[in-house]
Structures are given as structure tokens and as C-alpha cells.
Amino acid sequence: MHATRIVAIRHGETSWNVDARIQGHLDIPLNDVGLWQAQRAGAALADEHFDAIYSSDLQRALVTAQALGQATGCPVQPDTGLRERCFGSFEGRTFHDIEASAPEHARRWRKRDPEFVPDGGGESLHMLRGRIQHTVDRLAAQHLGGQIALVAHGGVMDILYRLATRQDLQAPRAWELGNAAINRLLWTPEGLTLVGWGDVSHLQHTSRDEFVS
């Protein structure tokens, strides 16, 4: 079979997610809720076989991936190609802060200008899409006929969805990017296809008290 099944998972929650603060390449840890979410995602997928688990090397994704690795017995392989979009000097700030200090930059970001590059070495959406497409092609091509997990970030999940549904970078987002949501795609040399998106059933009907004290 000339296809690779992909389970794509966004990292668990961080305190900066709660504060709506831009993380980018900054290495922010999971909070207690995020640790619980990671454990639940791992438990939900414990009976599935993975040929490989690939993760962004940033700890919020890596710790989420390690919970899946522990549940399935599959080792985690960090890959910098799965990092979140680099937001340069925007990292550590909120959109409200940026709108107040750099309204034109905020406007271009809000309008999803695909060529807009945040100051301080950031990435444009066009650059991010190229990086993610190259990374997914490189990793998935090694596992034709098998299944892999990709554990990464909200911006990465957004690009995966757009690639799989052939949506333009500037198309308004009408899909969820939930923390620790389970998303499924199929990769062939011709590209990605969407199988299922935004499954958070594993985060419902179970008390957090099992993992959060």
C-alpha cells in the first residue's frame, strides 16, 4: 500500500495558551491540565500500533509525545521540522500588546498575509507551509503502509489541515485546533487527505483527578 496513516496531535495545554500569549519557538512547559491531557491522549491510542512517533523538540510537544510513547511502547524521535511557527519579536507577547504597539503588523497578521514575516527572524505563513510540507513528506515517505504519529503545535495542525483539504493560507479557519486533540490523515506521494479531525472524546467523561493533584 503506497500510503502512510498519520495521527497528528497538538500538544497539551500550557499556561501561555490560557493567557493567549504567543509561544512560537519559546520552550514553554505543559501546565497540570496539559499533563493530564497528554496522558489521556496516550491512553486513547494505547492499543494502536505506531511505526514511529515524531515530535517537535519543544518540551510542550515532546512531553505530550512521550506520554504516547509510554502508552504504546514506541520511542519518540524529536524533529525540529515540526516546531511551531517562529514569531520572532512577537514571542512572549499577546496580540493585544502587538495591536497597541504595531497596528500595521497586527493587521497583516490578522488578515493572514502569507508573506508577512514578524520582526526578529520570524517565519511567514508561506515559509511555515513549505517547512511543514517538506517535513511531513520526508517523514511519511519512510513508512509507506504503516502508521506514524506527529506531535506538534497549533500552527502545524492548521497547516496540515489546509494541505489535506487544499485550503488557501488566507482562508478563514473554520476548524478546531484543540490541545491534545487527535487528528487523522492519510499521506501518499501525491499529498495529504483528511480522514478525521478534532477528536477530543478522550478528554471528556473522565475526571482530571486521576492525573492532577
Side-chain angles (χ1 to χ4, degrees):
M1 180 180 180
H2 296 291
T4 303
R5 287 169 291 134
I6 296 175
V7 176
I9 305 168
R10 186 186 176 195
H11 63 76
E13 183 184 276
T14 73
S15 61
W16 282 27
N17 288 146
V18 177
D19 295 341
R21 195 168 296 279
I22 301 161
Q23 298 177 109
H25 283 194
L26 296 181
D27 204 9
I28 310 305
L30 298 179
N31 61 17
D32 283 346
V33 171
L35 291 168
W36 173 81
Q37 291 172 333
Q39 293 289 336
R40 293 306 306 156
L45 296 166
D47 293 333
E48 298 198 26
H49 172 77
F50 291 94
D51 296 286
I53 299 173
Y54 297 103
S55 172
S56 161
D57 63 326
L58 298 173
Q59 63 175 310
R60 57 190 183 272
L62 193 57
V63 170
T64 303
Q66 287 167 345
L68 176 59
Q70 290 166 4
T72 60
C74 183
V76 176
Q77 303 178 53
D79 194 301
T80 58
L82 292 172
R83 279 190 173 195
E84 179 61 283
R85 178 183 177 184
C86 180
F87 287 99
S89 61
F90 287 2
E91 294 181 357
R93 304 171 67 188
T94 66
F95 182 79
H96 179 75
D97 295 336
I98 296 162
E99 199 166 33
S101 63
E104 176 59 19
H105 288 182
R107 184 192 68 80
R108 293 183 68 187
W109 187 9
R110 186 173 57 248
K111 294 292 187 181
R112 297 189 59 84
D113 181 342
E115 302 303 329
F116 171 60
V117 178
D119 291 339
E123 287 179 288
S124 69
L125 285 173
H126 182 76
M127 294 163 64
L128 176 66
R129 182 177 63 184
R131 170 164 65 84
I132 299 308
Q133 183 158 22
H134 173 77
T135 300
V136 172
D137 288 347
R138 171 173 54 84
L139 298 177
Q142 301 175 44
H143 301 284
L144 287 172
Q147 176 168 264
I148 64 173
L150 303 178
V151 185
H153 307 268
V156 177
M157 297 298 127
D158 182 66
I159 294 296
L160 291 176
Y161 188 96
R162 291 174 189 274
L163 289 171
T165 59
R166 312 303 186 262
Q167 299 245 13
D168 188 81
L169 285 171
Q170 290 186 280
R173 183 186 299 152
W175 49 93
E176 297 294 328
L177 301 173
N179 289 111
I182 296 172
N183 311 295
R184 296 181 185 270
L185 308 106
L186 194 69
W187 181 92
T188 70
E190 288 72 43
L192 285 168
T193 303
L194 190 66
V195 176
W197 195 263
D199 181 4
V200 292
S201 59
H202 53 289
L203 304 180
Q204 301 163 359
H205 316 303
T206 304
S207 172
R208 296 180 191 177
D209 294 340
E210 182 179 351
F211 295 106
V212 180
S213 58

